[in-house]
Amino acid sequence: MNSEHPEEQDGRPVGRRVFLGTLGLGALGVLAAPTLQRGLEDFLGDVAGKDPTGLTGLLPNGGGFRYYSVAASVPHRTAADYRLTIDGLVDRPRGYTLAELRSLPQTRLVKDVQCVTGWRVPGTPFEGVRLSELLDAAGVRSSAKALRFTCFDGTYTESLTLDQARRPDVLVALRMQDKDIGHDHGGPVRLYVAPMYFYKSAKWLSGITVTDRVKPGYWENLGYEVDAWVGRSNGRTDEPTS
Ligand SMILES: Nc1nc2c(c(=O)[nH]1)N[C@H]1C(S)=C(S)[C@@H](COP(=O)(O)O)O[C@H]1N2
Ligand SMILES: [Mo]
């Protein structure tokens, strides 16, 4: 067993809490997908960790990424019908089309992607609009403390504190791996929270609501940390490589 896979360590409290929480939901789709996926992921994780030759590029979802969705099916959105709404404790709530987001200044980051289950994709380029820029444009009120993110899969949610959201390495991402983000990776727009585990990077992003307190997101309600700093949360002790 690979010690990079914290969920496999017997008695690890977070993993067990997550597993029981998932069972408690009784939703077969939610339980089945990750469970069936795990065996393959262990294999892929080992390959990604030990074989630098690019073998993972030949596997489904090449480049080392695993496909994740807690929703059984997700509608497709294009430039014609995509909207991102910013509302809540702001002076100027509004919706953005994809063209409007593309017309704003774009920031490019190249960092490692790290899933909490152990797999990692080093040096992945993401590009998009700094979340801080959208917040400034919306005029965040003084009573605001946090953000709640919603997705057009209808199920997934995420959260950040306002301080976290204002970091320069947090993007509303339009491009990943130097391509427009495709549907499977959460396109046309996903969140990208570079310093945190990849579950914070909500796919199919459709709503940002400014709130007066943190409302834990989907995985956080099932036991994962709200402050998901890579290497400093979820029981991991290793440090990120960049
Ligand atoms: N809407 C949505 N966003 C999501 C998820 C999800 O299930 N639904 N899974 C999260 C997790 S746990 C990971 S590791 C990444 C996976 O992104 P990928 O499918 O592009 O590899 O998306 C994150 N964002
Ligand atoms: Mo993940």
Side-chain angles (χ1 to χ4, degrees), residues 28-136:
L28 188 61
V30 172
L31 176 64
T35 305
L36 292 173
Q37 210 170 19
R38 189 133 307 134
L40 179 61
E41 272 175 17
D42 293 346
F43 168 72
L44 292 171
D46 287 346
V47 171
K50 289 174 191 146
D51 184 348
T53 62
L55 175 58
T56 51
L58 302 172
L59 295 165
N61 292 322
F65 285 89
R66 321 282 172 261
Y67 173 77
Y68 275 78
S69 175
V70 298
S73 75
V74 182
H76 287 243
R77 294 277 158 82
T78 66
D81 57 3
Y82 177 78
R83 290 291 179 287
L84 174 64
T85 305
I86 302 193
D87 60 12
L89 299 172
V90 296
D91 292 331
R92 296 173 291 278
R94 66 165 287 183
Y96 287 89
T97 65
L98 196 54
E100 286 168 338
L101 290 172
R102 284 179 177 148
S103 74
L104 295 171
Q106 306 290 304
T107 297
R108 186 171 188 269
L109 301 172
V110 183
K111 308 258 189 196
D112 294 357
V113 160
Q114 177 73 60
C115 173
V116 74
T117 59
W119 57 271
R120 170 181 298 178
V121 184
T124 304
F126 280 86
E127 267 174 79
V129 183
R130 283 209 171 107
L131 180 54
S132 63
E133 173 143 348
L134 299 180
L135 294 174
D136 289 346

Side-chain angles (χ1 to χ4, degrees), residues 93-189:
R94 66 165 287 183
Y96 287 89
T97 65
L98 196 54
E100 286 168 338
L101 290 172
R102 284 179 177 148
S103 74
L104 295 171
Q106 306 290 304
T107 297
R108 186 171 188 269
L109 301 172
V110 183
K111 308 258 189 196
D112 294 357
V113 160
Q114 177 73 60
C115 173
V116 74
T117 59
W119 57 271
R120 170 181 298 178
V121 184
T124 304
F126 280 86
E127 267 174 79
V129 183
R130 283 209 171 107
L131 180 54
S132 63
E133 173 143 348
L134 299 180
L135 294 174
D136 289 346
V140 173
R141 296 199 178 146
S142 56
S143 55
K145 291 279 185 304
L147 302 183
R148 177 165 180 80
F149 301 92
T150 49
C151 304
F152 62 80
D153 63 12
T155 306
Y156 204 73
T157 54
E158 252 308 331
S159 69
L160 287 175
T161 68
L162 211 43
D163 286 347
Q164 292 165 356
R166 285 190 161 128
R167 288 174 58 107
D169 53 0
V170 176
L171 303 180
V172 170
L174 310 178
R175 290 168 62 81
M176 176 177 162
Q177 298 172 303
D178 294 317
K179 301 185 284 277
D180 290 348
I181 300 178
H183 178 77
D184 285 354
H185 283 306
V189 178

